[in-house]
Amino acid sequence: TDRKITIAIDGYSSCGKSTMAKALARSLGYIYIDSGAMYRAVTLYSLRHGMWNQGEVDQERLAKDMPQLKVSFKRDDLGQLRTLLNDEDVEEAIRTMEVSNRVSPIAALPFVRSALTLQQQALGREKGIVMDGRDIGTTVFPFAELKIFVTARPEVRAQRRFDELRSKGDMTSTLEEVLTNLKERDHIDSTRAISPLRQADDARVLDNSELTLDQQDAVALSWARETIAQCSAPK
Ligand code: CDP
Ligand code: CDP
């Protein structure tokens, strides 16, 4: 029988990581975990508790609350994953531009990263998991059997995220603002001191600028099946 593996998907903002990860998990019968949702949930908490002042977060207050902060996931009736913050469903609340604009500084804080990394590693203990984020192949699961690094041109990614916000009825931001946010986050995420976004040496790279969702998912699934076959073959 096939061995279960760990699949790490990393890459820039809005390039199709979560769509790919969900499709893989569905096809393989694996668990899917959106690590970005965990950073977004902590960010939402900091905003709701008034921890921001003149563009700076009160690190001391956040660090004090961090041990009591619980991020978890549940499935709705349609099987879609929903993010919970201290048992409250915050799936919509964490996807706003307000959260997007604050999440990268929060994700650069060492005490936030260490707490969430431990939770992510615990979730992956049994293998049979697909996790997407920025540092999954480099820090969270450095021994993942399959690592995929996804990228696409910034303009393509901004247009995709913009269309997504519009389709959810979110009319608050322009395409220009979405592009600016995306470039800003890419910059902060790739230059921070701890676990910056970078391609793992053993990652397979997929530029999906010119690929449809079906095409990118097909490539990812073929890589996954190949890796599972290699790992399951008798030595
Ligand atoms: O979906 P989108 O590309 O907008 O971002 P996300 O995956 O929801 O992640 C939001 C933010 O969380 C990223 O811009 C990073 O700052 C942070 N993040 C991280 O630092 N490490 C991860 N493993 C996942 C997300
Ligand atoms: O998780 P990440 O932020 O990397 O991206 P996503 O949420 O999976 O994808 C962002 C948007 O781009 C979604 O609306 C996808 O449907 C769309 N997309 C696309 O149209 N074509 C692709 N090849 C990849 C993503």
Side-chain angles (χ1 to χ4, degrees), residues 51-59 102:
M51 294 183 181
W52 286 84
N53 193 5
Q54 298 181 336
E56 299 275 342
V57 67
D58 187 334
Q59 295 190 33
R102 300 291 191 203

Side-chain angles (χ1 to χ4, degrees), residues 13-14 17 35-36 39-40 95 103-104 107 113 133-136 161 185 189 192:
S13 169
S14 314
K17 298 181 299 297
S35 71
Y39 289 95
R40 286 175 177 273
R95 308 287 167 192
V103 63
S104 287
R113 294 212 77 78
R134 302 293 185 287
D135 65 337
I136 310 306
R161 180 51 55 89
R185 277 199 288 140
D189 293 345
R192 69 179 171 227

Side-chain angles (χ1 to χ4, degrees), residues 134-218:
R134 302 293 185 287
D135 65 337
I136 310 306
T138 52
T139 302
V140 179
F141 300 131
F143 300 112
E145 288 86 351
L146 176 61
K147 301 177 185 178
I148 303 178
F149 192 84
V150 194
T151 136
R153 288 194 306 278
E155 290 71 22
V156 173
R157 295 190 275 122
Q159 186 68 53
R160 286 175 180 166
R161 180 51 55 89
F162 179 74
D163 292 344
E164 190 182 8
L165 287 166
R166 284 290 139 105
S167 75
K168 287 182 185 162
D170 186 338
M171 306 295 175
T172 49
S173 10
T174 64
L175 179 59
E176 208 44 48
E177 283 164 347
V178 172
L179 179 63
T180 305
N181 167 259
L182 203 131
K183 286 183 170 168
E184 242 166 54
R185 277 199 288 140
D186 286 351
H187 177 73
I188 301 175
D189 293 345
S190 354
T191 54
R192 69 179 171 227
I194 304 171
S195 310
L197 166 64
R198 68 171 181 83
Q199 195 185 309
D201 295 332
D202 51 351
R204 302 183 77 158
V205 183
L206 185 62
D207 184 327
N208 67 14
S209 301
E210 314 296 337
L211 298 184
T212 65
L213 288 173
D214 284 348
Q215 289 171 330
Q216 73 162 38
D217 293 348

Side-chain angles (χ1 to χ4, degrees), residues 11 64 67 69 122 132 154 162-163 222-223:
K64 197 164 130 289
L69 245 167
D132 78 313
F162 179 74
D163 292 344
S222 73
W223 287 352

